[in-house]
Amino acid sequence: MFGYLCKRIVYIAFTVAVMSVLVFWITQVLPGNVAHTILGDFAKPEDVAMLEHKLGLDQPVHTQYLRWAGSLLRGDLGQSLVMNRPVASVLWDAVGRSAMLAALSFAMVTVFGIWLGIAAGIRHGRWTDRIISTATYVKLSVPEFFWAILLLMLFSGYLGWLPATGYSSPDEGIAQWLRHLVLPSVTLALGLIAHVSRLTRSSVIDVMQSPYIRAARARGVPEGRLVRRHALRNALLPTVTVLAIDIGVLMGGVVVAETIFSYPGLGRLLIQSIQQADIPMVQAAMMVVTFVYAAANLLADVLYAFLNPRIRYGGAAGH
Amino acid sequence: MTKTTTKAFSPAAAVRYLLPAWVAATVWLGAPGTALAARDDVVATINSNVNNFYPAAGTTGEDYNAGNLMFNGLVRITQDLKLEPELATAWKSNADASEWTFQLRRGVKFHNGADFTAADVVHTFKLLGDPALASRARSTADMIKTIETPDDYTVKFVLKEPYGAWPDMMIERQLKIVPASVPLAELRVKPVGTGPFMFDSYTPGDKLVLKKNPNYWEKGLPKLARVTLRIMPEDAAKIAALSSGDVDILWNVPLESLQEIKAKRAITVDSIPAGTWDGFVLNNQAKPFDDVRVRQAMLKAIDKRVLVQVALFGEGAPTHTPIPANHPYFARNIGFAPDVAGAKRLLAAAGYPNGFKITLSVPVGRPTRERAAVALQQMLKNVGITVALERVPYSRWGATIAGKAPFYMDGYLPRPTPDTATYPWYHSTGSWNQQMWHFSSPRIDQTLEAARRTPDPAQQRDLYIRFQEEALQEVPGVVMYSINFATAFRANLQGFHTHPYTWLDLRTAYFP
């Protein structure tokens, strides 16, 4: 297991390194000129050149990359070009707020996704199954932003129960904090609930039709125990791994929800920074997303290996 | 026992477990925490982050809003565009308007408790003139030869050249008085001014919170204890937040949403003329715009009244130059009727009997200019000019289009005086002119110089009306219209109006 873990970590580190080159390259070709962004439309060419020199933008690209990657490894994220403050302070605040949102969504996805999946799976082909399956189809085929706007109109516009937008920090009151989180986190969770429940349903159906379950049923094992003792453990194996991967998906999915609900998290910060050509901020935010994705995948691999011994000893076949 | 597992996943269980949870959550979260007592705070939206707390470094409407709530200038401009004493109580000039003496208000304190004196005014202008700080208003500091302080409450500006509108300059957004007692680095993160509200906290991407200045010099003001500026770029979200009561004031209402918001109950929409304008830039040094007849033809081909309807949904007014239609110096005697036949004749005379093809660059994400560009394309088609539209993202605008493309659409914010609104664009040495249309006309230069020198308002008015006539004959570029500025707010908010200079003036605002 330890050897396997090391292998995965090396692989992930390599992925992050490749991504860092990509992120750097993408921000190089983004339209917009940093010096112009700072100095305004009609900056004199000599002023632009001076500032570019000061920012090291006149160096060859590989030198710039190495310097950037070096300071990244030292934990120095640089200075935002637009906000006149360090990238780190703004970024970690936003990451923290997105993490709250993602955590709440994750809890919903886990509970409702698995619950709906099992409910449909053990009633395969009956009304409950049909209703849940149709609902998940509808949820999956309609884009996130549509649900967001629907929720917004209903709960905030029409009923007036929940705030339409924004954020309230936990120290301003837990209820107030949660009220601001409900709509964006539900939006974020809907698509993934559908995804997780469909997966759970199909693996429950598979397992329930497997020979060992049929044998157990023939032996007269009660249905309840059959599901609890024999089926679920195996049926939930793929679900657990998908949930781990979904942590990364959630971090990427915050963009839409945060933009619609004006929630000041990482996704919205990334969009705003791209619009304003705030390169250091864009780079740092993209690296955070990359890292979360990579870590979520690592977690999924490790969990799967832990739950399914055949994977981790795959190399030891023949013993 | 054996049935429990399957039961736990039954529809009945869903109702049994979820319903109480739903009800509990609704009771706990659903009741908005609004007290019945009179509110003493207000929440307003702004579109983007406040990036500069040091007023002289301000570049955006958001920066100016924050600056205006926390700082004062020597002079301020009222709702009806009149000058009013702020940190200065009175001012006078010598005969040729080259020396201006301001009496300062006594007993004013900065937020940190320091007394406001002439030393702070000197400090403010010294910073403003520092090239390293690159303030957009540095040109104002460059007009000053020396500043004298005969005593703690008198400041005398000795100018390099006579300037009749010097007091008007003092309302500029960047010319807020900053304390000599606070280092600039500190001021950039925790602003200290003399204004009605004091800095409380700032979360980029989320909100700026200000609290009442208990020692504010205007008796009984401000009436609010707290002001929160919420950063909300998304129009749909802003409108939803206003409807649901999350926010009280929507600053800078998008014109395309005005009708929708006007239809809402309990919301007041206040849309007023402002000096913001859109226009299209013609590079006078590039073909075909180096021929004045082509430029005149472009002007004759367009119907500015239609542009106002299409681009602004009627929320604005056509204008000849940056002097807006509601200004006393506006030339009301000149009409806006297009003349297609005349435009064609002029083009033929200039050697383009069949018109020509040209590309018009338009910034993406500036909806008024995007709509105006499409309408302009149609209008120019009528006189034989084929326009290809090129949409350019704003992040690339400064580097590739502004001051570089031969033909583009752009927009500009109001300036404090007729002089500052026109001279930089129309005088041959003007900073914007040299970047944009590269135009030179000795007679317009003379008119603008004379207008700037005279302290007599009647004479000034005549000169500016003459300038507008000349500008329409020589057509350096085309100013299409001035745009209304609108705010929308809760109908029960008292003492608040949209300010023509677009910033939020919340001194007298309160909820009954």
Side-chain angles (χ1 to χ4, degrees):
Chain A
M1 184 74 195
F2 181 72
Y4 172 79
L5 194 65
C6 288
K7 242 191 334 208
R8 298 303 307 166
I9 288 176
V10 170
Y11 174 72
I12 294 280
F14 176 74
T15 310
V16 172
V18 170
M19 269 307 291
S20 77
V21 174
L22 259 176
V23 165
F24 189 81
W25 178 73
I26 288 170
T27 47
Q28 289 297 306
V29 299
L30 265 186
N33 170 305
V34 173
H36 262 291
T37 307
I38 299 174
L39 296 171
D41 278 5
F42 296 132
K44 294 190 178 73
E46 57 267 30
D47 288 350
V48 173
M50 200 172 82
L51 186 66
E52 285 184 335
H53 178 72
K54 203 170 110 182
L55 296 171
L57 298 172
D58 51 358
Q59 307 265 350
V61 173
H62 62 271
T63 317
Q64 285 187 53
Y65 169 76
L66 289 173
R67 218 183 33 196
W68 171 71
S71 45
L72 208 61
L73 288 172
R74 285 196 307 275
D76 171 16
L77 300 180
Q79 190 79 6
S80 158
L81 298 174
V82 178
M83 298 188 193
N84 298 316
R85 50 189 65 217
V87 165
S89 68
V90 178
L91 186 72
W92 297 130
D93 280 355
V95 168
R97 290 190 287 261
S98 285
M100 289 178 200
L101 190 59
L104 195 62
S105 296
F106 186 73
M108 285 188 224
V109 170
T110 310
V111 173
F112 292 105
I114 293 178
W115 189 78
L116 288 169
I118 295 172
I122 59 181
R123 288 184 181 68
H124 179 39
R126 296 186 5 221
W127 273 111
T128 315
D129 178 30
R130 279 186 206 150
I131 291 167
I132 292 175
S133 296
T134 313
T136 53
Y137 262 126
V138 172
K139 267 191 299 201
L140 283 176
S141 47
V142 176
E144 227 175 20
F145 70 85
F146 176 82
W147 294 119
I149 290 166
L150 206 68
L151 287 169
L152 213 146
M153 281 163 60
L154 179 65
F155 287 101
S156 165
Y158 180 68
L159 295 169
W161 288 354
L162 291 165
T165 54
Y167 166 79
S168 160
S169 76
D171 38 322
E172 287 174 55
I174 295 290
Q176 205 42 354
W177 169 68
L178 270 173
R179 289 182 69 226
H180 280 94
L181 279 172
V182 173
L183 290 180
S185 61
V186 169
T187 302
L188 204 52
L190 274 178
L192 289 177
I193 287 175
H195 177 221
V196 169
S197 72
R198 293 189 66 75
L199 185 96
T200 308
R201 170 183 175 270
S202 60
S203 76
V204 165
I205 292 170
D206 277 354
V207 170
M208 291 302 281
Q209 290 171 345
S210 62
Y212 80 92
I213 293 285
R214 279 209 294 262
R217 205 176 266 142
R219 281 202 310 274
V221 177
E223 197 69 13
R225 190 187 306 171
L226 204 67
V227 171
R228 208 172 45 240
R229 288 276 172 81
H230 303 273
L232 282 190
R233 198 196 148 125
N234 285 322
L236 290 182
L237 214 132
T239 306
V240 170
T241 29
V242 162
L243 279 173
I245 291 173
D246 277 348
I247 296 173
V249 177
L250 276 173
M251 258 345 230
V254 291
V255 174
V256 173
E258 285 180 0
T259 302
I260 289 176
F261 295 104
S262 289
Y263 186 89
L266 179 67
R268 190 153 164 263
L269 179 71
L270 182 59
I271 295 284
Q272 282 181 12
S273 308
I274 289 172
Q275 283 168 345
Q276 297 175 313
D278 190 350
I279 304 291
M281 191 64 87
V282 175
Q283 289 170 334
M286 283 169 90
M287 285 316 292
V288 169
V289 174
T290 303
F291 188 80
V292 173
Y293 250 101
N297 276 304
L298 176 69
L299 181 69
D301 287 344
V302 172
L303 269 176
Y304 200 70
F306 178 74
L307 294 170
N308 189 347
R310 270 173 308 183
I311 298 283
R312 65 173 180 266
Y313 303 124
H319 280 273
Chain B
M1 162 72 212
T2 51
K3 278 280 177 212
T4 49
T5 310
T6 34
K7 268 210 187 115
F9 297 103
S10 68
V15 175
R16 211 171 41 230
Y17 297 135
L18 285 181
L19 202 64
W22 169 257
V23 171
T26 312
V27 169
W28 187 46
L29 296 175
T34 43
L36 289 171
R39 289 184 48 194
D40 60 355
D41 71 309
V42 78
V43 182
T45 64
I46 50 177
N47 296 348
S48 62
N49 282 320
V50 177
N51 293 321
N52 295 290
F53 284 130
Y54 167 50
T59 59
T60 64
E62 282 68 24
D63 294 350
Y64 305 142
N65 260 327
N68 205 58
L69 290 163
M70 292 186 279
F71 294 86
N72 294 128
L74 291 177
V75 181
R76 72 175 163 222
I77 189 154
T78 61
Q79 298 281 350
D80 44 359
L81 302 180
K82 291 197 174 65
L83 296 191
E84 197 177 62
E86 197 164 28
L87 287 179
T89 52
W91 49 87
K92 58 179 191 294
S93 75
N94 60 352
D96 75 345
S98 64
E99 291 181 7
W100 287 89
T101 308
F102 287 75
Q103 293 305 319
L104 303 184
R105 193 175 297 277
R106 290 163 191 263
V108 176
K109 284 196 183 304
F110 282 100
H111 300 159
N112 62 354
D115 284 320
F116 159 71
T117 64
D120 299 302
V121 179
V122 173
H123 170 74
T124 299
F125 279 90
K126 206 168 97 194
L127 285 181
L128 190 71
D130 182 349
L133 297 175
S135 169
R136 294 208 172 176
R138 201 176 97 209
S139 54
T140 310
D142 289 343
M143 295 164 74
I144 303 169
K145 188 153 69 181
T146 55
I147 303 181
E148 297 165 15
T149 51
D151 61 58
D152 268 353
Y153 294 98
T154 310
V155 175
K156 184 167 154 191
F157 295 96
V158 180
L159 306 181
K160 290 174 184 164
E161 283 173 16
Y163 194 70
W166 184 252
D168 302 63
M169 295 294 281
M170 296 299 108
I171 70 164
E172 260 296 33
R173 306 159 172 85
Q174 286 91 353
L175 299 191
K176 305 287 177 195
I177 304 301
V178 297
S181 56
V182 180
L184 186 58
E186 213 172 294
L187 200 71
R188 286 183 191 276
V189 287
K190 191 178 180 303
V192 173
T194 53
F197 295 96
M198 311 198 289
F199 179 80
D200 183 51
S201 69
Y202 175 52
T203 318
D206 184 24
K207 59 180 175 264
L208 168 65
V209 182
L210 308 176
K211 54 186 187 235
K212 178 181 182 147
N213 171 7
N215 304 318
Y216 187 56
W217 54 271
E218 285 187 274
K219 284 287 162 278
L221 299 180
K223 296 184 174 174
L224 293 164
R226 256 166 91 90
V227 171
T228 304
L229 300 182
R230 289 264 314 272
I231 295 141
M232 297 177 75
E234 305 82 8
D235 288 345
K238 273 191 297 213
I239 294 165
L242 181 72
S243 312
S244 70
D246 293 353
V247 302
D248 307 304
I249 303 174
L250 204 163
W251 177 78
N252 197 355
V253 181
L255 298 176
E256 43 275 64
S257 314
L258 268 180
Q259 291 309 322
E260 177 196 347
I261 297 174
K262 275 179 182 166
K264 290 186 185 297
R265 277 175 306 124
I267 303 287
T268 305
V269 175
D270 190 8
S271 168
I272 60 163
T276 314
W277 56 275
D278 283 347
F280 49 92
V281 176
L282 312 168
N283 183 337
N284 290 209
Q285 290 174 337
K287 271 199 164 329
F289 305 124
D290 53 353
D291 188 327
V292 68
R293 289 169 298 188
V294 173
R295 304 199 303 266
Q296 287 165 340
M298 307 275 278
L299 181 64
K300 282 188 188 299
I302 62 167
D303 190 336
K304 292 181 180 179
R305 291 162 307 185
V306 172
L307 287 171
V308 168
Q309 292 308 320
V310 173
L312 312 178
F313 304 103
E315 296 287 336
T319 181
H320 309 301
T321 68
I323 298 172
N326 62 330
H327 196 282
Y329 296 176
F330 177 75
R332 281 173 181 70
N333 52 336
I334 312 172
F336 291 101
D339 175 6
V340 172
K344 282 180 171 163
R345 273 198 302 278
L346 281 165
L347 282 174
Y352 302 100
N354 304 319
F356 53 85
K357 283 191 169 64
I358 187 106
T359 299
L360 172 68
S361 310
V362 192
V364 174
R366 299 293 185 276
T368 60
R369 290 168 229 164
E370 291 184 59
R371 289 190 292 264
V374 175
L376 179 67
Q377 187 182 30
Q378 295 302 316
M379 289 172 184
L380 291 177
K381 207 163 150 184
N382 296 338
V383 297
I385 301 172
T386 310
V387 176
L389 295 181
E390 178 203 25
R391 298 171 80 249
V392 181
Y394 224 79
S395 54
R396 226 173 53 211
W397 191 255
T400 58
I401 303 295
K404 297 165 193 72
F407 184 34
Y408 63 92
M409 189 68 85
D410 215 340
Y412 303 88
L413 287 170
R415 298 296 191 271
T417 65
D419 173 72
T420 47
T422 55
Y423 195 96
W425 277 272
Y426 291 84
H427 193 277
S428 55
T429 64
S431 55
W432 289 94
N433 172 21
Q434 291 179 351
Q435 307 284 2
M436 284 163 47
W437 32 58
H438 309 283
F439 157 84
S440 171
S441 151
R443 65 174 180 157
I444 287 187
D445 284 3
Q446 271 173 5
T447 310
L448 288 174
E449 285 161 23
R452 151 180 286 212
R453 273 196 308 269
T454 176
D456 172 28
Q459 204 180 4
Q460 233 178 43
R461 181 171 175 271
D462 292 345
L463 285 164
Y464 279 114
I465 287 176
R466 190 207 304 172
F467 151 76
Q468 288 166 80
E469 287 161 357
E470 289 165 350
L472 290 176
Q473 286 155 14
E474 310 212 17
V475 201
V478 178
V479 178
M480 299 182 291
Y481 46 67
S482 60
I483 308 173
N484 282 10
F485 183 82
T487 56
F489 46 92
R490 315 232 127 262
N492 62 342
L493 179 70
Q494 305 292 311
F496 174 75
H497 299 283
T498 302
H499 195 289
Y501 266 74
T502 77
W503 50 59
L504 289 161
D505 182 356
L506 295 169
R507 287 171 303 135
T508 53
Y510 69 98
F511 284 105

